[in-house]
Amino acid sequence: MKSETLYLNIINHLRDGVYFVDKDRRVQFWNHAAEELTGYTADEIIGKACAETMLNHIDEEGRPLCIVGCPLFSTIVDGEQRTARVFVRHKDGHRIPIIVNIFPIYEEGAIVGAVEVFTRDTPTVYEDNLISTLTNNAMYDEMTGLPNRRYLESFLNYSMDNYARFGKKFAVLMADVDDFSAFNNNYGHELGDTVLKNIGASIRKSIRQSDLFGRWGGEEFLGVYSIAQEEDAALIAEKLRQLIMNTEVVHMGEALGVSVSIGIATVQPDDTAKSIVNRADELMYQSKENGKNRVTAQ
């Protein structure tokens, strides 16, 4: 096997995105991980100048880097290696937080371009107002103040990547408010909204920095929890169940209790983001079928 073919084969099997631009900042190489992280294929990117792509890198203050100072271009000019936290536009429209490492490429002593290696950054390091400002769609649910489905999916993909790269175990929890339709019918949708808001307020006070819990949709909530061992998953779910069970709403002077049915699944080697969510969802329905207000773990 020729050296060039060998090196390309290695780079295309990396989990980090890698691309090369020439001195005119035209993309000449775009590896498989770059395709997976951004949604853009090599055919859509290669041959285009950075400013012509739809990646639209912005920094942590929301400034477009192609306009205010491209780190790739700076490295081509001065040969300095650079590291930065930026946001890149995914093909689906949302912003992805990434860490980039940039270094120059030389031929016969002269700089001929630069390589950027980038990997997904954890979304939890960014404050609510920054995420809302920098993304096309807010990352937080307006009613509950919890992360929304888009944010949860981003964090889940990040957790899957960490598991594949470093073996960091995690569990996905699916919780559904019991008898929520009946609650709305009996007491009105406004009080139903208050239930969801109170759950959000309770959870925000207890979530660890390494975890994420948010509103998946309707009365369903999803959590992604880092764990040391599989036994931790059931304990986490049980604590959450009890926390929500002690959350009350007041209607005409009467305190009304709330409960949830929970399913929690621990990541497995053959899992995808979709498969682990589906397993947690199936386990949650088992809790419903077995009497509600309980945890089913796997």
Side-chain angles (χ1 to χ4, degrees):
M1 182 180 290
K2 294 182 179 180
S3 296
E4 182 177 350
T5 302
L6 174 63
Y7 298 150
L8 288 175
N9 192 41
I10 292 171
I11 293 172
N12 270 322
H13 282 81
L14 294 176
R15 293 186 178 276
D16 291 337
V18 179
Y19 70 99
F20 168 73
V21 299
D22 60 22
K23 290 189 69 173
D24 295 324
R25 284 192 286 172
R26 290 195 175 276
V27 181
Q28 302 298 329
F29 178 77
W30 187 258
N31 78 338
H32 293 332
E35 292 180 323
E36 294 175 0
L37 287 168
T38 67
Y40 291 98
T41 66
D43 289 342
E44 294 173 305
I45 296 294
I46 290 177
K48 293 183 178 179
C50 291
E52 295 172 348
T53 70
M54 297 298 292
L55 298 171
N56 296 334
H57 291 77
I58 56 177
D59 65 13
E60 291 180 289
E61 297 179 12
R63 299 176 299 180
L65 293 178
C66 286
I67 297 175
V68 300
C70 173
L72 265 171
F73 180 70
S74 297
T75 291
I76 291 172
V77 171
D78 61 21
E80 295 291 329
Q81 184 171 344
R82 287 175 167 80
T83 300
R85 283 190 172 93
V86 302
F87 289 80
V88 65
R89 181 188 180 278
H90 191 276
K91 188 175 181 179
D92 289 341
H94 59 280
R95 290 284 179 179
I96 302 172
I98 60 173
I99 297 177
V100 302
N101 291 285
I102 303 164
F103 53 91
I105 297 296
Y106 291 84
E107 278 187 6
E108 299 179 354
I111 295 175
V112 295
V115 167
E116 177 176 302
V117 180
F118 63 96
T119 188
R120 188 189 299 271
D121 195 8
T122 170
T124 56
V125 301
Y126 300 99
E127 296 296 334
D128 298 12
N129 60 348
L130 177 61
I131 291 292
S132 296
T133 300
L134 297 182
T135 57
N136 295 326
N137 299 291
M139 302 292 276
Y140 286 81
D141 176 59
E142 184 176 356
M143 181 187 296
T144 63
L146 294 171
N148 65 11
R149 184 163 181 158
R150 186 181 297 276
Y151 193 170
L152 289 164
E153 289 175 338
S154 176
F155 187 77
L156 178 57
N157 287 328
Y158 170 80
S159 299
M160 289 295 304
D161 189 54
N162 263 356
Y163 176 67
R165 290 160 59 90
F166 308 116
K168 293 184 177 180
K169 295 181 180 179
F170 68 95
V172 170
L173 177 151
M174 183 71 76
D176 185 87
V177 180
D178 293 327
D179 303 314
F180 190 69
S181 295
F183 195 96
N184 280 334
N185 292 336
N186 292 334
Y187 302 107
H189 288 278
E190 185 174 345
L191 197 64
D193 290 347
T194 301
V195 168
L196 300 179
K197 292 176 183 177
N198 287 1
I199 289 175
S202 298
I203 299 303
R204 281 199 305 273
K205 298 174 184 177
S206 62
I207 196 74
R208 298 178 302 181
Q209 190 173 11
S210 60
D211 305 329
L212 198 71
F213 183 92
R215 189 180 181 192
W216 191 245
E219 66 270 25
E220 284 191 333
F221 296 87
L222 184 136
V224 182
Y225 295 87
S226 61
I227 57 173
Q229 51 193 4
E230 293 193 7
E231 293 78 6
D232 294 341
L235 296 175
I236 289 169
E238 182 59 27
K239 287 180 180 178
L240 181 75
R241 185 191 68 81
Q242 293 187 26
L243 177 65
I244 294 177
M245 193 171 61
N246 289 312
T247 299
E248 297 179 337
V249 293
V250 178
H251 176 68
M252 299 180 66
E254 178 186 3
L256 304 174
V258 180
S259 70
V260 291
S261 296
I262 295 175
I264 188 164
T266 303
V267 67
Q268 301 299 320
D270 59 347
D271 261 327
T272 63
K274 183 177 180 179
S275 69
I276 191 171
V277 170
N278 286 343
R279 285 196 290 115
D281 195 49
E282 290 169 1
L283 293 167
M284 181 270 292
Y285 277 107
Q286 287 183 33
S287 293
K288 292 280 191 188
E289 293 169 356
N290 292 327
K292 304 177 183 177
N293 190 22
R294 64 183 62 214
V295 170
T296 304
Q298 185 183 66

